[in-house]
Amino acid sequence: IYQPWCHGNITRSKAEDLLSKAARDGSFLIRASESIQGAYALCVLYQNCVYTYRILPNEDKKLSVQASEGVPIRFFSMLPELVEAYYSPNMGLITHLQYPVQREEEADEEPESNDLPPQLPPRNFSPNDLKDGDQKSPESACKSLSDTYLMRLQHVDLSSVPEEYQMAIQEYFRNSIVLDAEQVQNGCHNLPGLKKLTLTICKNLNSEISRVLPALEVFHRTLDQQLSPGIGQFAKRVGQSVSFRLEQLTKLLYSLEDKAKSSLFESVGYEGGHRKSLIPPVTFEVKQDSLGISMKMFLKVDVESGKLYFKKSKDGAEDKYYVHNKILQLVKSQIKQNVKLVIVLETEKEKILKKEFAFDDAKKREGFCQLLQQMKNKHSEKPEPDMITVFVGTWNMGNAGPPHNISSWFQCKGQGKTQDDTADHIPHDFYVIGTQEDPLGEREWADTVKGVLRNITNISFKQVAIHTLWNIRIIILVKPEHENRISHIFSDSVKTGIANTLGNKGAVGVSFMFNGTSFGFVNSHLTSGSEKKLRRNQNYINILRFLNLGDKKLNPFDITHRFTHLFWLGDLNYRVEFPSTEAEYIVTKIKQQQYQELLNKDQLSMEKNDGKVFLHFDEEEITFAPTYRFERDTREKYAYTKAKATGTKYNLPSWCDRVLRKSYPLVHVVCQAYGCTNDIMTSDHSPVFASFEVGVASQFVSNAPQGGIQIMNCVATLSTKSKTKFFIEYHSSCLESKFFRLHGRPYHTGFSVLICRLFYLFKLTPIISDPEYLLDQHILICVKSTDADESYGEGCVALRAAQICYTEFQITLTHHGEKTGTLTGGIQLQTSEVKPTEKLYGESGNSAQDLLIKGAMCKIWCSVTQAHDISNPNYMGMSFQREVIDKGWSYSMPPKSLPQGCKDSKKGGYDVGTRSPTVKKVKTETLLTDSLFPSGEGEKSEMFDNPLYGSMGKGHGRGKDQDHQPRDHLTPVDQNFKTADGETERPPVPTPRNRSFTYSETKPQPPTPVTSHPSMQKKPVVPSHSEGGGSSMPRPPLPSKYRAEPPVTKPRDYRDSSELPIKQRLPARPGQPLPHQRQ
């Protein structure tokens, strides 16, 4: 029975909005609880505040309201009975119920108008499909079924079907299907009519199988190592159905293919039952200046042998080369249009040699660097990777099969930000492929993708997961060597089609752990139609709320907070918001490749900038043409009009197909490619590709002394009208369980704004206290109400930001994809000091104190020595900067611009436009690393997008719309920090965990002592001498040391799970200085 006050699964914020519009004391509504399944929340408005009461069922399914203490609890069988009782006063509520708030009726999505009826998923008809209210007899129901199929058959093209088979199919739908239905009703499931039809159609196939199987089995047994007696066992089976024998034939063919390939691979030296990646040698033509004369040179990269050749002619002698461990550093020019690269090499006599080369273009230079990186990875002696590459692709197939060749999609070739041809054979570690309107079966599509990747990379990729909802599908493939590093695989789907019950629209998702890093992937197909922007927004919210992936212990958090890296792909169907009369103008702009004006009207970008969808997601800058709606079999013409009975429908060219991502703060992720193909034309959509370089954390055990994580002075500012008390929860894989602390009632400071001081000091105990482990961890924070145990906002804090000293943070709180407030506080780590393991990926120029660009070259020296060969023992050295006096930072503050040429300024802080720390005044800095050549093509001083892991300027392009996107940051603060203007200045802050070597011509100046926390004052450390460049490096005062607690007796895996393989940490490397011991 319809009840106007029952609002179902609306969000808490939506309920508050509806009650605020009612604006009468006693207004109420009931919604589903967000924290307890099967429970409800009664929301009542009184004096412009919303009070929430939980309605909980007991063991007998009786409902009761958790009202004020001292009021007798009453139980009710039905919600209407409960509501009727609470219309009476003195029932324990803030006020009795008076005015039910009407539900907002949402218009159902209209089915898409296609020429053909929509394709339905396979379904078996049974008597349960007949509704009780139909009041049809079994005879009439069977007759109706027959008529339905005969009518469908009239709309099917039978021209390619022999007349004999046409008559057999018609006879079945006319008579035999009725007899089969009667058999089912009588409890017999043999379906004799269907069996007779299949035997008629497959009579030739049946005899052919009997003739073919013996020969195939002989071939199969010859290839099989375990020979066994008995020939023709498949063919001798009598009385089995055609479908069973066909299945046996199919399995045998697949087995034959696998065994034959395995034998061939092994005969030519392949190992491990799968083919190794064979990357052919690649030669680059470059120019080298010698005595002012530009000379042509050739650089040949042989990944398989691990050698870099220097040749004076393309076919010249290959006697001059350097092996992979002699390639020490790369220096990239950061000046736009400058394609120079300096290679730093170690000679046989252990001397350092620098060679500078100019490439034809930046793409060639990047391809050269990627090949060198692949060579270093291939020959590295590290037991576990710390950086992987991920391919993400999405394609609306338009209910048409793929063409014969789709290699360009997986090689990132076409329009937009693409990879150089020299990177064609470099395999990704993961391939994530999402399709919509996919007409193929799961096995057929999986085999197609695996075959394409095998042809490109010479690797037989392993399937991690595949999940399908109607014609929406996601499949994830991984290199064979990573198969044992993956665990905790989950998949799920959400329907958002008509009335949220049909799966023609919706999402599928897969999540898993890769060693110590969590990944989530969502492929969605949202509502179509230019005018249905709000419906698409609601689709997104529903997917966030109901897609069940990842760690089930994180139930207060939606999927945007559950994963270190979350990738969202699919046909999102957001359109370009132009009037239909501008169609030709849009096409003209596309032909001229002038996309910016069109992107300014892109619905997804506008909604994202307004914070309505994909809050805090990143998207690479779009530099390719709209991917929808093309005429099939061509990419030269957009089919933006369609004649309908109601008139002409317009589908303006739009960027419907997108790839976005959201990662935890201070983690390494770089987009290397983002574009669409030009040569795959079977659909009205073009496939979209994206390639990412992603940092990953290893699992390990540790005997480090017990440490702690201190969180203090937390203040939450929430956008809510709720009148309740709050508490805070902390979740992390580095904690044994969630921690929380209650606090008193908050206070309102204005309309719908509430401030709650949650506690002064709280200490969390990690299961592993090794700082190398902790610095890769994150704390998820959830602010919850005591009345309904529901979340009012979630956020994330990176422990890496608190590596050096006490750090103040301000983060955004979100709930179900919308901003709900902010949380400020301070965080500090208490750990022992140990030498961290070097990482492959770059950490140069990673924070406000790390970067100084001088002249035409940004000297970013990146050591590429192997894990056991550290060229610079002072990699724990920290850069230091004076006169950084910014008082903390919030993403809601206005942007701060960097002066031209990095001129001196009295302030330093975080730049909003790039969401990265920027330098306003630097007297000296030195960075140390063992990473591989971070890239970037920025102008003037490079603004680094990630405060931890290297250059992410234009070269790693972010979407232009993201320049206005708020982002969370953490800023070191002084103990005497004040909130009013004109407060005291903060002392200099050391840079966290620097391993990159940034060289500057500026002469170093000795640092001045730092004014630190009164209880943490230490004498400045005497600067040590660096091996890089032969110049001395000032080092900052070290943070105070904490007394180590008794060591843990038994090392534990950080997730406490036997499913995860445990990786032992490498011993300290010889020849490196030991860190200072804690006092």
Side-chain angles (χ1 to χ4, degrees):
I1 301 175
Y2 172 79
Q3 299 292 347
W5 38 259
C6 186
H7 289 248
N9 281 316
I10 67 169
T11 63
R12 174 191 52 78
S13 59
K14 180 65 175 178
E16 291 183 7
D17 291 340
L18 292 174
L19 289 169
S20 297
K21 293 177 182 177
R24 289 196 294 180
D25 289 351
S27 298
F28 72 96
L29 59 83
I30 293 179
R31 58 176 174 83
S33 171
E34 295 182 356
S35 57
I36 302 177
Q37 188 173 5
Y40 301 92
L42 172 61
C43 304
V44 184
L45 184 69
Y46 182 70
Q47 294 184 356
N48 206 33
C49 290
V50 176
Y51 294 78
T52 303
Y53 304 90
R54 279 193 291 187
I55 302 176
L56 301 177
N58 62 6
E59 296 178 355
D60 300 326
K61 303 291 181 66
K62 299 286 187 178
L63 301 174
S64 63
V65 178
Q66 289 189 328
S68 302
E69 297 182 3
V71 178
I73 298 178
R74 297 182 58 183
F75 293 93
F76 305 90
S77 301
M78 304 290 289
L79 273 179
E81 180 185 352
L82 182 150
V83 171
E84 186 65 28
Y86 279 85
Y87 271 104
S88 304
N90 303 321
M91 293 290 289
L93 305 183
I94 188 68
T95 183
H96 62 284
L97 306 184
Q98 300 180 60
Y99 311 107
V101 175
Q102 297 288 327
R103 184 191 313 176
E104 285 188 346
E105 295 299 331
E106 184 177 302
D108 287 336
E109 178 189 0
E110 298 177 2
E112 294 183 47
S113 53
N114 296 323
D115 296 332
L116 298 176
Q119 294 189 0
L120 299 176
R123 184 182 180 191
N124 296 321
F125 284 90
S126 68
N128 294 331
D129 291 322
L130 301 175
K131 304 298 182 182
D132 295 335
D134 289 346
Q135 301 297 327
K136 291 184 179 180
S137 65
E139 294 78 7
S140 61
C142 294
K143 183 63 177 174
S144 175
L145 187 63
S146 175
D147 294 340
T148 299
Y149 279 121
L150 285 172
M151 186 177 300
R152 288 187 183 181
L153 191 62
Q154 294 177 2
H155 295 281
V156 178
D157 183 12
L158 300 176
S159 59
S160 60
V161 180
E163 185 177 355
E164 176 188 0
Y165 297 155
Q166 292 184 29
M167 295 178 61
I169 295 173
Q170 291 173 358
E171 173 61 24
Y172 176 75
F173 285 142
R174 186 175 292 111
N175 297 316
S176 299
I177 194 173
V178 177
L179 298 177
D180 281 352
E182 292 175 356
Q183 291 284 329
V184 172
Q185 291 169 358
N186 295 328
C188 179
H189 300 281
N190 290 331
L191 304 181
L194 178 62
K195 184 176 294 185
K196 180 181 177 181
L197 174 63
T198 54
L199 286 174
T200 301
I201 296 176
C202 300
K203 61 182 180 181
N204 294 332
L205 177 62
N206 195 24
S207 61
E208 189 68 17
I209 291 175
S210 299
R211 191 174 69 86
V212 168
L213 270 177
L216 288 177
E217 185 179 299
V218 169
F219 184 35
H220 181 270
R221 294 180 65 253
T222 305
L223 292 170
D224 198 346
Q225 295 179 355
Q226 300 293 332
L227 295 178
S228 57
I231 298 178
Q233 56 181 337
F234 291 107
K236 292 179 181 178
R237 292 173 180 167
V238 181
Q240 294 172 336
S241 66
V242 176
S243 59
F244 177 81
R245 302 183 70 191
L246 191 59
E247 180 184 3
Q248 296 300 317
L249 175 63
T250 305
K251 289 181 178 179
L252 184 57
L253 288 172
Y254 278 120
S255 178
L256 281 171
E257 182 183 2
D258 291 340
K259 288 181 181 295
K261 289 177 179 177
S262 177
S263 299
L264 290 173
F265 299 162
E266 290 176 3
S267 68
V268 294
Y270 292 117
E271 300 174 356
H274 61 272
R275 289 185 283 182
K276 286 183 177 179
S277 172
L278 295 179
I279 302 176
V282 181
T283 302
F284 295 83
E285 181 179 329
V286 296
K287 292 182 179 179
Q288 183 181 28
D289 288 336
S290 177
L291 301 176
I293 301 175
S294 181
M295 299 176 57
K296 184 183 296 186
M297 288 283 294
F298 293 88
L299 304 180
K300 180 181 176 181
V301 182
D302 191 339
V303 173
E304 301 302 323
S305 66
K307 296 178 180 178
L308 173 62
Y309 295 89
F310 293 83
K311 301 162 57 174
K312 294 185 178 180
S313 63
K314 191 170 185 179
D315 300 322
E318 297 184 351
D319 54 347
K320 188 174 183 180
Y321 64 85
Y322 291 86
V323 295
H324 60 90
N325 59 350
K326 298 296 183 181
I327 306 170
L328 301 182
Q329 300 168 339
L330 297 180
V331 184
K332 283 186 180 180
S333 168
Q334 298 296 305
I335 302 301
K336 197 172 183 180
Q337 308 302 330
N338 193 326
V339 289
K340 291 184 178 180
L341 179 73
V342 175
I343 305 176
V344 182
L345 305 161
E346 180 182 345
T347 63
E348 295 179 355
K349 298 180 180 180
E350 297 185 355
K351 292 184 179 181
I352 301 300
L353 178 66
K354 298 179 182 179
K355 291 181 176 289
E356 181 178 280
F357 302 98
F359 288 75
D360 291 340
D361 52 52
K363 187 181 290 189
K364 288 289 183 186
R365 185 182 66 175
E366 192 62 30
F368 175 82
C369 291
Q370 288 184 25
L371 283 170
L372 282 189
Q373 179 173 342
Q374 186 71 16
M375 183 172 70
K376 298 297 293 186
N377 290 342
K378 186 176 183 67
H379 299 279
S380 173
E381 297 181 4
K382 291 185 178 182
E384 291 297 323
D386 52 40
M387 189 273 291
I388 61 174
T389 56
V390 179
F391 172 90
V392 181
T394 176
W395 183 24
N396 185 318
M397 300 176 68
N399 289 315
H404 177 70
N405 186 2
I406 57 174
S407 299
S408 60
W409 187 20
F410 301 101
Q411 292 176 319
C412 300
K413 288 185 175 180
Q415 301 182 34
K417 183 177 183 179
T418 58
Q419 293 184 342
D420 188 66
D421 293 343
T422 55
D424 284 353
H425 298 281
I426 300 179
H428 290 76
D429 295 279
F430 283 97
Y431 286 86
V432 182
I433 300 100
T435 53
Q436 310 84 37
E437 298 183 19
D438 186 343
L440 305 184
E442 283 189 351
R443 178 65 181 266
E444 184 180 6
W445 178 239
D447 290 341
T448 299
V449 174
K450 289 178 183 178
V452 174
L453 293 179
R454 189 182 298 117
N455 292 334
I456 296 173
T457 66
N458 292 314
I459 296 176
S460 295
F461 278 79
K462 300 295 184 180
Q463 181 174 305
V464 175
I466 186 170
H467 196 85
T468 305
L469 172 68
W470 283 36
N471 300 111
I472 308 170
R473 177 174 296 138
I474 187 171
I475 180 173
I476 300 179
L477 305 174
V478 65
K479 280 184 177 179
E481 59 261 34
H482 295 321
E483 194 173 12
N484 294 330
R485 297 183 175 111
I486 296 174
S487 63
H488 297 78
I489 302 171
F490 297 99
S491 63
D492 194 24
S493 61
V494 172
K495 300 174 182 177
T496 63
I498 300 174
N500 287 331
T501 57
L502 291 185
N504 62 321
K505 295 293 189 293
V508 292
V510 172
S511 66
F512 55 84
M513 293 289 299
F514 181 87
N515 282 346
T517 303
S518 56
F519 284 88
F521 300 93
V522 179
N523 172 32
S524 64
H525 192 187
L526 307 186
T527 300
S528 62
S530 178
E531 72 283 359
K532 296 179 181 177
K533 175 178 62 178
L534 298 181
R535 176 75 181 182
R536 283 188 282 275
N537 293 355
Q538 189 59 47
N539 291 165
Y540 166 76
I541 298 299
N542 289 342
I543 294 169
L544 279 191
R545 295 185 63 188
F546 303 119
L547 194 63
N548 191 11
L549 297 174
D551 190 350
K552 301 302 183 285
K553 296 178 182 178
L554 299 178
N555 60 314
F557 302 87
D558 60 43
I559 57 174
T560 64
H561 288 101
R562 291 191 180 189
F563 307 107
T564 311
H565 304 284
L566 173 64
F567 295 87
W568 196 303
L569 55 142
D571 180 3
L572 306 185
N573 254 321
Y574 285 93
R575 308 301 174 90
V576 173
E577 208 161 72
F578 276 85
S580 57
T581 55
E582 299 290 332
E584 285 297 332
Y585 176 77
I586 294 174
V587 172
T588 301
K589 286 291 183 181
I590 294 172
K591 290 180 179 179
Q592 297 172 350
Q593 298 185 7
Q594 297 179 7
Y595 304 136
Q596 193 53 53
E597 183 179 351
L598 308 182
L599 287 169
N600 290 338
K601 293 292 185 178
D602 172 59
Q603 289 179 340
L604 176 57
S605 299
M606 292 190 294
E607 295 298 288
K608 184 170 171 290
N609 290 339
D610 292 340
K612 297 179 180 178
V613 292
F614 293 101
L615 187 64
H616 294 164
F617 276 78
D618 288 328
E619 182 182 18
E620 184 73 0
E621 181 180 3
I622 294 177
T623 57
F624 52 92
T627 56
Y628 175 81
R629 179 177 184 255
F630 289 101
E631 283 192 4
R632 297 181 189 241
D633 301 322
T634 180
R635 297 295 93 157
E636 301 297 326
K637 185 176 181 181
Y638 286 95
Y640 55 82
T641 61
K642 194 171 186 178
K644 295 292 179 182
T646 56
T648 302
K649 180 180 179 180
Y650 283 83
N651 286 299
L652 299 180
S654 299
W655 288 276
C656 292
D657 311 282
R658 312 287 274 268
V659 176
L660 302 97
R661 67 164 180 86
K662 183 173 187 261
S663 300
Y664 284 167
L666 304 188
V667 295
H668 176 67
V669 56
V670 176
C671 183
Q672 295 178 322
Y674 188 39
C676 68
T677 63
N678 286 327
D679 57 347
I680 301 176
M681 301 178 286
T682 52
S683 171
D684 51 2
H685 292 252
S686 287
V688 168
F689 53 78
S691 174
F692 297 92
E693 178 184 284
V694 179
V696 292
S698 297
Q699 307 168 65
F700 63 87
V701 295
S702 171
N703 286 319
Q706 186 67 56
I709 305 168
Q710 287 188 343
I711 301 180
M712 58 200 78
N713 303 327
C714 284
V715 177
T717 303
L718 303 173
S719 299
T720 180
K721 283 197 166 188
S722 292
K723 197 74 171 180
T724 180
K725 297 179 182 179
F726 293 90
F727 64 96
I728 195 168
E729 280 187 358
Y730 301 96
H731 297 254
S732 177
S733 58
C734 70
L735 304 176
E736 289 191 0
S737 61
K738 63 184 180 183
F739 294 79
F740 61 90
R741 174 67 63 90
L742 295 172
H743 199 269
R745 187 178 299 275
Y747 58 92
H748 285 269
T749 60
F751 182 74
S752 297
V753 176
L754 176 147
I755 294 181
C756 179
R757 182 174 294 277
L758 292 158
F759 61 85
Y760 175 71
L761 174 64
F762 196 56
K763 182 176 180 180
L764 309 176
T765 303
I767 57 177
I768 296 177
S769 298
D770 192 299
E772 180 184 357
Y773 164 77
L774 284 181
L775 293 179
D776 284 331
Q777 304 305 309
H778 296 77
I779 301 293
L780 296 177
I781 299 178
C782 179
V783 179
K784 303 179 77 172
S785 64
T786 58
D787 54 11
D789 193 40
E790 293 181 335
S791 173
Y792 275 63
E794 305 98 49
C796 179
V797 175
L799 294 186
R800 186 176 299 279
Q803 175 183 4
I804 302 301
C805 60
Y806 168 84
T807 300
E808 184 189 61
F809 64 83
Q810 175 166 325
I811 61 174
T812 304
L813 295 177
T814 65
H815 186 59
H816 293 327
E818 57 183 350
K819 180 183 174 181
T820 58
T822 58
L823 180 72
T824 61
I827 186 170
Q828 188 166 15
L829 296 184
Q830 294 177 325
T831 63
S832 60
E833 183 176 344
V834 297
K835 183 181 298 183
T837 302
E838 292 73 31
K839 291 186 179 294
L840 178 68
Y841 48 86
E843 295 184 8
S844 63
N846 297 324
S847 66
Q849 298 86 2
D850 292 348
L851 181 64
L852 181 65
I853 300 177
K854 186 169 181 70
M857 299 288 290
C858 173
K859 304 275 189 173
I860 304 179
W861 301 101
C862 305
S863 169
V864 291
T865 56
Q866 296 186 30
H868 64 279
D869 181 18
I870 305 301
S871 61
N872 194 328
N874 293 322
Y875 69 94
M876 283 293 289
M878 307 171 190
S879 66
F880 185 72
Q881 170 186 331
R882 301 187 60 194
E883 301 188 37
V884 180
I885 57 175
D886 194 15
K887 302 301 184 301
W889 186 86
S890 165
Y891 65 82
S892 58
M893 292 182 180
K896 301 175 183 179
S897 59
L898 185 69
Q900 295 288 334
C902 284
K903 295 180 181 179
D904 288 353
S905 173
K906 293 184 179 181
K907 279 217 170 186
Y910 290 98
D911 182 84
V912 178
T914 58
R915 298 200 309 276
S916 66
T918 59
V919 179
K920 302 302 194 272
K921 185 168 184 178
V922 182
K923 291 194 175 180
T924 181
E925 94 294 324
T926 306
L927 300 175
L928 307 166
T929 193
D930 68 319
S931 61
L932 278 166
F933 30 83
S935 60
E937 301 298 333
E939 297 182 65
K940 295 173 284 190
S941 291
E942 181 73 28
M943 298 296 102
F944 284 97
D945 188 56
N946 190 312
L948 191 65
Y949 293 120
S951 171
M952 295 177 65
K954 292 183 179 179
H956 296 144
R958 297 174 21 251
K960 295 183 179 181
D961 59 333
Q962 296 167 22
D963 291 342
H964 309 288
Q965 180 76 21
R967 196 66 162 188
D968 301 343
H969 281 284
L970 298 101
T971 308
V973 295
D974 183 69
Q975 176 71 10
N976 298 322
F977 169 78
K978 300 178 182 179
T979 57
D981 292 333
E983 63 274 30
T984 58
E985 296 182 351
R986 181 186 300 118
V989 180
T991 306
R993 196 183 187 185
N994 299 320
R995 298 197 195 115
S996 297
F997 187 117
T998 301
Y999 179 78
S1000 171
E1001 300 296 335
T1002 306
K1003 294 183 179 180
Q1005 301 292 332
T1008 57
V1010 178
T1011 304
S1012 62
H1013 191 286
S1015 63
M1016 303 180 183
Q1017 290 183 354
K1018 294 280 181 182
K1019 294 181 180 180
V1021 178
V1022 178
S1024 61
H1025 185 73
S1026 167
E1027 293 183 5
S1031 61
S1032 62
M1033 293 189 305
R1035 296 184 61 181
L1038 296 179
S1040 64
K1041 309 296 185 291
Y1042 294 85
R1043 294 180 180 177
E1045 299 182 19
V1048 180
T1049 57
K1050 293 183 179 181
R1052 296 188 52 186
D1053 181 74
Y1054 85 102
R1055 288 183 65 87
D1056 195 19
S1057 171
S1058 59
E1059 297 182 36
L1060 296 178
I1062 298 176
K1063 314 298 178 185
Q1064 297 292 341
R1065 292 173 53 246
L1066 294 177
R1069 294 172 177 76
Q1072 295 178 349
L1074 294 175
H1076 298 282
Q1077 301 297 323
R1078 295 198 180 278
Q1079 299 175 354

